[in-house]
Amino acid sequence: MSATVDTGAALALGDDALVLSHRLAEWAGHAPVLEEEVALANIALDLLGQARILLSMAGDEDELAYLREERAFRNLQLVEQPNGDFAHTIARQLLFSTYQRFLYEALAGDPVFGPLAVKAVKEVAYHQDHAEQWTLRLGDGTEESQGRMQRGLDALWRFTGEMFRPVEGLALNWQKLEERWLASVTAVIERATLRVPGGPRTGAWAAGAGREGLHTESFGRMLAEMQHLHRSHPGASW
Amino acid sequence: MVTLGDLGILRDLRMFGPGEVRVEITPTYTGCPAVEAMSSDIEDVLHAEGLPDVTVRTVLAPAWSTDDITAEGRRKLAESGIAPPRPQPADGPIPLTLAVRCPHCGSLETELLSRFSSTACKALRRCVSCREPFDHFKEL
């Protein structure tokens, strides 16, 4: 590859994909129906494929995934949030896949990330569609499903401001990206007869911390589970 | 048998001097777990043909699309019980409403069960006429 890779940018995008992939894989054996079990695992697999390519741009993919400490990860705090109930996971998918789709679209002409972005955006379009369909179904469903979907969105809303803090090495119009994202998720939330959460999306409490290596409490436990096999048996293979 | 050429996965094959060959393949999905198996199959076949020096490289650009599947490939997929992908629109959203033909009985009365199926590249559908479930190679 002729263009120089910005390692920080590759880690930011790669860690988003890796961490969300792991969270979704945690649903294996727990999804409400078999089709969803398969769907979430498929989405996790797409994200893992993206993560492998992105992390390989920054170094050795296995070392980066399995041997980095928590503070060295550059993913958004949104993607590390625990799965919660199914509606909570769908809320996280809606907020993130919409962002990732528009982000990859905007990176189509990038000399470094363009080839991956053009390829992956087609996969992410299916992830976004899946999340939208479920948001509509749960939001415009029973009182119980609507309540759960709303609580999921409310709980995760404060993590969405961080997505639009500029990442060094990605030449993008972040403000335009945010406007597109907000218009898209607002339309889906309203169609689903839900409320757009009213709380703040930015501010002192957040400080774009995930991209700077500051993570929320549950992330350490997630990493411990993700990394323990590799760390317990260094160099093992099958 | 559906070949890598039929699927548009085989991108390039060049000979460099005696016994040296370089092959380029492209994944259908970035996370496709079959890429490694396909690479080693290509190596095995070429080794068996007496070519000792085989390099298989995976390329991403231009991004693979279901439009890269040949007419022959589509026919073979349907024969194997997998509904082939519909042509991609030039731009815009994926037309999920276009009918998908049941590969078992040929009926156009089929419904989507799940956008995700046994592999990343397929969706799960059911035929309303013959009641058989089947995989559909979804448009990408």
Side-chain angles (χ1 to χ4, degrees):
Chain A
M1 201 170 284
S2 52
T4 319
V5 179
D6 185 293
T7 305
L11 286 180
L13 300 179
D15 287 346
D16 280 353
L18 175 69
V19 171
L20 186 57
S21 168
H22 189 83
R23 279 294 186 209
L24 290 173
E26 290 174 354
W27 273 103
H30 301 281
V33 289
L34 185 60
E35 285 78 8
E36 274 316 295
E37 181 97 5
V38 173
L40 295 173
N42 261 298
I43 295 169
L45 182 63
D46 286 343
L47 291 169
L48 188 62
Q50 296 166 21
R52 292 188 61 182
I53 291 166
L54 288 160
L55 293 183
S56 296
M57 291 177 178
D60 179 276
E61 53 175 318
D62 284 336
E63 266 181 41
L64 288 169
Y66 294 125
L67 297 175
R68 261 184 306 162
E69 301 289 335
E70 183 183 341
R71 290 289 291 265
F73 277 80
R74 291 290 176 268
N75 55 282
L76 297 166
Q77 290 182 345
L78 176 69
V79 295
E80 75 200 30
Q81 295 311 304
N83 288 334
D85 61 16
F86 184 69
H88 194 91
T89 288
I90 291 299
R92 192 183 58 199
Q93 281 305 105
L94 178 74
L95 300 173
F96 182 75
S97 61
T98 305
Y99 161 75
Q100 200 186 30
R101 181 179 185 173
F102 293 155
L103 179 69
Y104 282 162
E105 276 180 13
L107 287 172
D110 187 276
V112 175
F113 299 107
L116 172 74
V118 170
K119 169 121 203 91
V121 75
K122 301 201 270 181
E123 302 164 3
V124 176
Y126 275 102
H127 306 174
Q128 186 194 16
D129 182 54
H130 175 257
E132 275 190 24
Q133 299 304 321
W134 271 111
T135 302
L136 296 174
R137 193 164 157 191
L138 295 172
D140 196 9
T142 64
E143 200 178 318
E144 175 73 18
S145 72
Q146 186 180 50
R148 285 179 184 244
M149 196 64 225
Q150 187 67 55
R151 285 196 291 281
L153 288 169
D154 289 347
L156 296 169
W157 196 246
R158 63 199 181 96
F159 293 103
T160 58
E162 184 188 355
M163 300 193 288
F164 307 102
R165 286 172 59 93
V167 174
E168 205 176 319
L170 300 181
L172 292 178
N173 184 337
W174 294 91
Q175 194 188 334
K176 196 175 145 212
L177 186 67
E178 181 161 20
E179 285 165 8
R180 260 192 103 186
W181 175 87
L182 192 59
S184 175
V185 296
T186 298
V188 176
I189 290 170
E190 287 177 351
R191 264 180 72 208
T193 69
L194 296 161
R195 274 179 292 102
V196 175
R201 295 176 44 241
T202 53
W205 64 270
R211 291 272 188 250
E212 286 151 31
L214 296 175
H215 296 282
T216 51
E217 189 183 347
S218 61
F219 186 54
R221 288 197 293 275
M222 193 210 93
L223 271 193
E225 186 169 314
M226 188 177 94
Q227 296 184 334
H228 98 266
L229 191 68
H230 190 89
R231 287 181 185 266
S232 307
H233 304 277
S237 66
W238 49 39
Chain B
M1 184 172 61
V2 188
T3 68
L4 296 180
D6 290 335
L7 292 175
I9 289 169
L10 185 65
R11 276 279 165 83
D12 196 27
L13 191 146
R14 278 166 208 252
M15 299 286 296
F16 291 86
E20 186 188 349
V21 59
R22 288 186 211 165
V23 183
E24 282 188 352
I25 59 172
T26 192
T28 55
Y29 280 68
T30 50
C32 178
V35 169
E36 283 171 33
M38 293 189 287
S39 295
S40 63
D41 279 358
I42 291 171
E43 284 176 27
D44 291 347
V45 167
L46 292 173
H47 286 322
E49 290 295 318
L51 296 158
D53 191 356
V54 180
T55 314
V56 182
R57 215 162 66 88
T58 305
V59 293
L60 285 181
W64 182 86
S65 153
T66 38
D67 288 348
D68 297 341
I69 301 177
T70 63
E72 179 71 357
R74 284 160 201 271
R75 191 185 60 75
K76 290 176 182 171
L77 282 173
E79 247 176 40
S80 319
I82 300 168
R86 294 158 291 188
Q88 281 279 62
D91 205 356
I94 301 156
L96 289 167
T97 48
L98 272 182
V100 175
R101 188 181 293 277
C102 170
H104 304 298
C105 73
S107 168
L108 287 169
E109 297 291 315
T110 65
E111 60 188 9
L112 182 71
L113 288 180
S114 173
R115 279 168 184 73
F116 300 90
S117 186
S118 53
T119 63
C121 48
K122 288 179 289 187
L124 185 62
R125 295 186 75 90
R126 172 169 56 196
C127 177
V128 178
S129 303
C130 73
R131 310 302 292 170
E132 284 290 323
F134 64 91
D135 270 338
H136 166 225
F137 210 124
K138 67 189 176 194
E139 293 74 26
L140 192 74

